[in-house]
Amino acid sequence: MYAIAIREPGDPDVLEWTEIADPRPGPGEVLLDVAASAVNRADLLQRQGHYPPPPGASETIGLECSGTIAELGPDVEGWNVGDEVCALLAGGGYAQKVVVPAGQLLPVPGEVDLIAAAGLPEVACTVWANVVMHAKLTEGEVLLVHGGAGGIGTHAIQVGKALGATVVVTAGSAERLESCRQLGADLTINYKEEDFVEVLRKETGGADVILDNMGASYLGRNVDALKSDGRLVIIGMQGGVKGELNVGAMLGKRAEVFAAGLRFRPLDQKAAIVADVRERLWPLVSEGAVKPIVGQVIPMSEAASAHRAMEEGSVFGKILLTATS
């Protein structure tokens, strides 16, 4: 099969479409013929040499994909060869074939196209695990989403609205903010021109839940933006890894700060998240209340151009990579 390999850590030009050995499914695993994968910011970090895969995972980039089941490994139940699925991966998505633990498979929901489904598993599991399963966002609460125009952000806007929350987003241009409003965001903030803490306090009194992709640089301001009993969930480090936390402010608000990745979770935790997504979120996707937002579709062999597009920040929603024969 063909897959994207990293010649050496570096810029997008180090990505090469090359022939490698076909994977084979082991116990509890399935082999997929990949239809498409999707680009995530973690892929850029892995390409640069900063985010190696978990032990035992494929060295090939790619944290999600869609495709058709080609082979079942031993002890797999509930799936059949020929089923169209999408999958959460620890790696391996930028390839024509990939092996997936059966517990990380999801059926392609409702009327969603097989290619578009490739952009769902990573964002769906990330948002649902953090905003719903952990932070327990409920109807009537205020959700602040940083980076509202990206893959995670566009999905979180829709999930928040489907659950009856007031959704506030930050983004860096009027055009991207308008696109967020069209998705359902109630309040949009240009982080380049406005102080999100001031705007949020003035308009909503603060946030009950914050989904943050910045990390250190926003840490103190995020705590300031929380209401009493607020929950800050950190899922990214675009703004650095070390910040200062005002414990006094947290105590006064009874605030919670939680940081969680998805890729390095044990298989049983990933399977539990996927099962909850399938039970509670997938019906919303099937009925169209939550949709995959696809900004660009590029052949997988041209993954370098997809990485450049993500680095430029010019795409609204997900960038998909279609596998080629």
Side-chain angles (χ1 to χ4, degrees):
M1 71 171 186
Y2 277 81
I4 290 291
I6 303 171
R7 186 172 65 250
E8 60 186 6
D11 62 25
D13 291 333
V14 304
L15 299 178
E16 297 181 334
W17 186 239
T18 187
E19 193 167 8
I20 65 173
D22 288 8
R24 294 300 307 274
E29 297 178 333
V30 304
L31 176 68
L32 300 186
D33 287 328
V34 174
S37 186
V39 181
N40 290 280
R41 195 155 294 275
D43 302 344
L44 277 59
L45 293 174
Q46 183 172 340
R47 186 202 76 222
Q48 295 163 355
H50 302 315
Y51 193 38
S58 171
E59 294 288 335
T60 301
I61 301 176
L63 299 180
E64 58 190 333
C65 73
S66 62
T68 304
I69 295 179
E71 183 179 347
L72 302 176
D75 306 321
V76 173
E77 299 179 354
W79 300 100
N80 298 295
V81 171
D83 286 348
E84 291 189 342
V85 297
C86 51
L88 180 69
L89 309 172
Y94 289 22
Q96 293 177 324
K97 298 178 183 290
V98 68
V99 165
V100 188
Q104 292 169 215
L105 292 176
L106 287 158
V108 174
E111 300 301 316
V112 175
D113 175 79
L114 179 61
I115 299 298
L120 281 172
E122 176 74 12
V123 295
C125 291
T126 296
V127 171
W128 196 260
N130 289 289
V131 172
V132 180
M133 296 175 72
H134 183 85
K136 294 181 170 51
L137 179 72
T138 58
E139 183 177 359
E141 290 193 315
V142 176
L143 169 66
L144 170 61
V145 180
H146 289 301
I152 292 287
T154 53
H155 187 81
I157 291 169
Q158 297 178 83
V159 169
K161 293 307 297 178
L163 296 177
T166 296
V167 179
V168 183
V169 303
T170 63
S173 73
E175 180 182 9
R176 292 167 79 78
L177 291 171
E178 175 58 29
S179 296
C180 291
R181 283 190 288 271
Q182 292 177 10
L183 269 185
D186 299 286
L187 175 63
T188 59
I189 303 170
N190 188 326
Y191 66 82
K192 295 180 180 179
E193 300 176 355
E194 302 173 282
D195 184 331
F196 73 82
V197 179
E198 292 182 2
V199 176
L200 192 65
R201 284 175 169 173
K202 178 181 177 182
E203 299 295 334
T204 70
D208 297 286
V209 177
I210 299 176
L211 185 63
D212 174 61
N213 61 351
M214 294 302 294
S217 64
Y218 274 21
L219 184 57
R221 296 167 69 201
N222 277 331
V223 172
D224 290 343
L226 287 174
K227 292 181 179 179
S228 295
D229 299 304
R231 292 88 74 194
L232 166 61
V233 182
I234 302 170
I235 59 169
M237 303 176 292
Q238 293 181 44
V241 298
K242 293 184 179 181
E244 188 170 296
L245 190 62
N246 186 333
V247 177
M250 289 185 60
L251 286 170
K253 294 184 176 185
R254 301 179 300 279
E256 175 186 344
V257 177
F258 176 73
L262 185 60
R263 189 180 193 184
F264 284 82
R265 286 178 183 261
L267 292 181
D268 60 340
Q269 290 188 20
K270 289 182 182 179
I273 292 168
V274 169
D276 206 61
V277 163
R278 182 173 182 176
E279 178 182 356
R280 297 200 284 159
L281 175 59
W282 246 222
L284 298 174
V285 180
S286 294
E287 68 188 32
V290 178
K291 301 177 181 179
I293 305 301
V294 178
Q296 197 167 354
V297 180
I298 297 173
M300 193 176 289
S301 57
E302 301 173 20
S305 64
H307 278 220
R308 291 190 197 96
M310 174 165 276
E311 290 175 341
E312 292 167 359
S314 58
V315 179
F316 183 81
K318 296 283 286 192
I319 302 172
L320 304 185
L321 301 172
T322 52
T324 53
S325 58

